[in-house]
Amino acid sequence: MTQGAGQGPEVERTAVLRDFRVPAYVNETGPYGHSVHPGDVAPAHEDAYPEGYTPTEQDLPVINPGDGLQAAADPAAQPEEGPGPLFVVGDVHGYLDELMAALHDKGLVDAAGNWCAGTARLWFLGDFTDRGPDGIGVIDLVMRLSAEAAAAGGYCKALMGNHELLLIGAKRFGDTPVNSGAGTATFQAAWLLNGGQKTDMDRLQDHHLQWMARLDAVEEVDGHLLVHSDTTAYLDYGDSIEAVNDTVRETLTRNDADEVWDLFRKLTKRFSFRDEGGADHVRSLLDTYGGTRIVHGHSPIPYLLGEVGSEDGEDESGPVVEGPHVYADGLAIAMDGGVTMAGKLLVQQLPLDI
């Protein structure tokens, strides 16, 4: 999630972003210029991905024996008939250790962090980077689990969050001014204002950018409409799931700073489902895209409940978050447990027993 400095959450409002100079480390050649961090693996060659590959397709690349990363297959645990159990993960924001612990607690990874859930299905709701210490490590983990899960007959997939758009924009466009509607703004200034980490930018490589740019924005699984943001802005991009996802990808492909900024701005809106008329807003999305309940991240549960908290983790006591928050006449499930404010990183099996 993102918000303006020193401001609490506001209904469907994009914060006015301050502009300031760009650090020297982002002035690199080309939209995908990068510096390799010591110990980093060189980026995968484009030919490593088959034509038409997206990270949300079930036929993700399978790691072959001897390739270094192997998904151990237990002969006694062959895939059962039908799909495996469905899990969703809320906003991670660079908290890799907390993510690993939560996945292990749900039996999705073993003690070494390898996929051990067989045919289980795992969806990340976006926002992998910013605020926390190791956003690139989180992306690397999700990419690896995607391959390991596919090899075991399950899958691990991810949605586009507003912080993925922010990181892509900061790398591609830097301090290029954009039409913000509220004065001069830049992706670089917005990224820094909203928790951008220099260590993530230093380690960001071409294959990370390509992976993020191909993420879907909306999906429907077992009657659950999965999105990142609690906003009706998705309706601006198409009247079907396929149309929305195509429009988002085409916007990123055109590489126009103002277009990408407008997309980022709209997917940063929040609280559409919380207040009066919220259930009707949820129904408008469900009627358009399908599903019987919407599952989202983006807005921390303490904000939805009206609790005061800091996304920068300044409040050491932290909010008390026990699990997902169900609201809007039972039609919406919030999954951002507020890990950035010392809350909880949520991993939840669906459907919920309510």
Side-chain angles (χ1 to χ4, degrees):
M1 68 159 284
T2 58
Q3 68 178 63
Q7 298 179 353
E10 296 184 70
V11 176
E12 288 290 305
R13 176 181 175 188
T14 303
V16 176
L17 304 175
R18 298 175 299 174
D19 192 8
F20 41 105
R21 299 189 64 83
V22 183
Y25 66 83
V26 300
N27 295 323
E28 298 165 325
T29 303
Y32 291 113
H34 62 272
S35 57
V36 178
H37 188 272
D40 277 350
V41 178
H45 191 275
E46 291 182 0
D47 293 342
Y49 298 112
E51 184 177 357
Y53 164 78
T54 72
T56 57
E57 292 180 353
Q58 187 157 352
D59 54 345
L60 290 163
V62 177
I63 304 298
N64 296 313
D67 282 351
L69 288 175
Q70 291 186 234
D74 182 0
Q78 293 301 315
E80 300 176 358
E81 292 295 328
L86 174 64
F87 294 82
V88 290
V89 184
D91 297 34
V92 182
H93 284 299
Y95 285 85
L96 178 60
D97 290 344
E98 288 81 355
L99 173 61
M100 291 285 281
L103 293 173
H104 183 261
D105 183 62
K106 294 294 183 179
L108 294 165
V109 301
D110 61 22
N114 299 312
W115 182 264
C116 66
T119 60
R121 298 166 294 159
L122 178 63
W123 275 96
F124 284 82
L125 300 179
D127 277 10
F128 303 106
T129 66
D130 303 334
R131 304 191 191 283
D134 195 359
I136 298 303
V138 170
I139 292 176
D140 285 337
L141 173 65
V142 177
M143 293 176 71
R144 174 170 64 80
L145 291 179
S146 295
E148 294 178 357
Y155 66 66
C156 171
K157 302 183 182 183
L159 293 181
M160 172 79 71
N162 59 311
H163 278 263
E164 281 68 66
L165 291 168
L166 186 56
L167 183 57
I168 291 171
K171 188 67 171 182
R172 288 186 182 181
F173 307 119
D175 62 350
T176 301
V178 294
N179 297 321
S180 71
T184 302
T186 71
F187 271 106
Q188 179 64 22
W191 175 71
L192 290 170
L193 178 64
N194 288 286
Q197 302 293 306
K198 182 181 183 300
T199 52
D200 284 343
M201 188 64 76
D202 287 345
R203 297 165 60 200
L204 186 63
Q205 300 178 29
D206 285 359
H207 66 286
H208 298 128
L209 289 159
Q210 293 163 6
W211 181 82
M212 288 189 291
R214 293 184 175 116
L215 294 174
D216 284 341
V218 185
E219 271 296 345
E220 188 273 327
V221 186
D222 294 355
H224 299 91
L225 185 64
L226 308 181
V227 297
H228 173 68
S229 303
D230 47 325
T231 178
T232 58
Y234 294 97
L235 296 169
D236 295 344
Y237 293 96
D239 58 5
S240 70
I241 289 175
E242 182 180 11
V244 173
N245 292 333
D246 286 347
T247 301
V248 169
R249 273 192 289 271
E250 289 164 4
T251 299
L252 289 170
T253 299
R254 282 193 294 271
N255 208 36
D256 179 272
D258 287 326
E259 276 194 275
V260 178
W261 177 267
D262 190 58
L263 176 62
F264 160 70
R265 180 183 63 84
K266 288 182 177 179
L267 295 192
T268 300
K269 293 180 179 180
R270 68 179 74 258
F271 299 151
S272 287
F273 315 147
R274 185 185 68 173
D275 300 319
E276 185 176 355
D280 290 335
H281 292 154
V282 175
R283 290 187 185 97
S284 70
L285 290 166
L286 296 176
D287 290 345
T288 302
Y289 302 128
T292 57
R293 179 176 283 165
I294 198 164
V295 184
H296 70 84
H298 188 48
S299 291
I301 291 170
Y303 283 0
L304 291 169
L305 295 175
E307 299 175 1
V308 178
S310 168
E311 267 223 286
D312 297 316
E314 295 173 359
D315 182 0
E316 294 183 0
S317 62
V320 177
V321 176
E322 299 296 339
H325 174 51
V326 181
Y327 67 114
D329 293 348
L331 296 175
I333 301 174
M335 281 293 301
D336 184 349
V339 65
T340 62
M341 56 180 71
K344 187 175 183 179
L345 199 158
L346 296 178
V347 178
Q348 179 64 47
Q349 185 173 352
L350 298 177
L352 288 178
D353 293 328
I354 299 175

